[in-house]
Amino acid sequence: MSSTAEIAELHDLIGGLRRCVMSLKSRYGEVPGMRRIVLDAERILSDVELLDIDANELDLERWATQHTAEKIPIPDTEYDTEFWRDVDDEGVGGQGRS
């Protein structure tokens, strides 16, 4: 089952949960336990929506990674010394500066 189908199924299940919670709320009213259940159902819905967003971003990242996996070869030869002119060693500071 694809993640899209699973998330759609979660939305359907949460819809059923919300209907049950609202039915219970109409029966029991605004008692503290019922308020907690209503808030929990809303939190679960929010969490699933965030998961849906995260899953979409992960799919985009996976797609980008798969399509940009080209490796660039780096030669083992020495660099020209002019390449390193005016460069400080990390952690050492300005060598040769007065």
Side-chain angles (χ1 to χ4, degrees):
M1 182 182 283
S2 73
S3 64
T4 305
E6 291 165 337
I7 290 175
E9 183 180 357
L10 264 176
H11 279 287
D12 290 342
L13 292 169
I14 291 169
L17 172 67
R18 291 177 78 195
R19 284 187 295 278
C20 287
V21 167
M22 290 301 123
S23 175
L24 287 170
K25 184 178 176 186
S26 68
R27 181 174 179 187
Y28 293 109
E30 287 288 328
V31 296
M34 198 65 239
R35 283 195 301 264
R36 284 193 301 271
I37 291 173
V38 169
L39 289 174
D40 288 345
E42 294 300 321
R43 182 188 48 79
I44 290 170
L45 177 62
S46 295
D47 288 346
V48 170
E49 288 172 353
L50 290 173
L51 175 66
D52 194 12
I53 292 168
D54 290 345
N56 288 334
E57 289 176 1
L58 288 173
D59 284 343
L60 290 175
E61 288 175 10
R62 189 176 302 120
W63 181 85
T65 302
Q66 289 173 351
H67 294 299
T68 60
E70 178 185 344
K71 295 185 178 184
I72 300 170
I74 300 175
D76 289 334
T77 58
E78 292 290 325
Y79 289 105
D80 183 16
T81 54
E82 285 296 307
F83 179 79
W84 299 107
R85 187 177 45 141
D86 296 331
V87 175
D88 292 335
D89 291 332
E90 290 184 23
V92 177
Q95 293 288 326
R97 293 186 186 168
S98 304

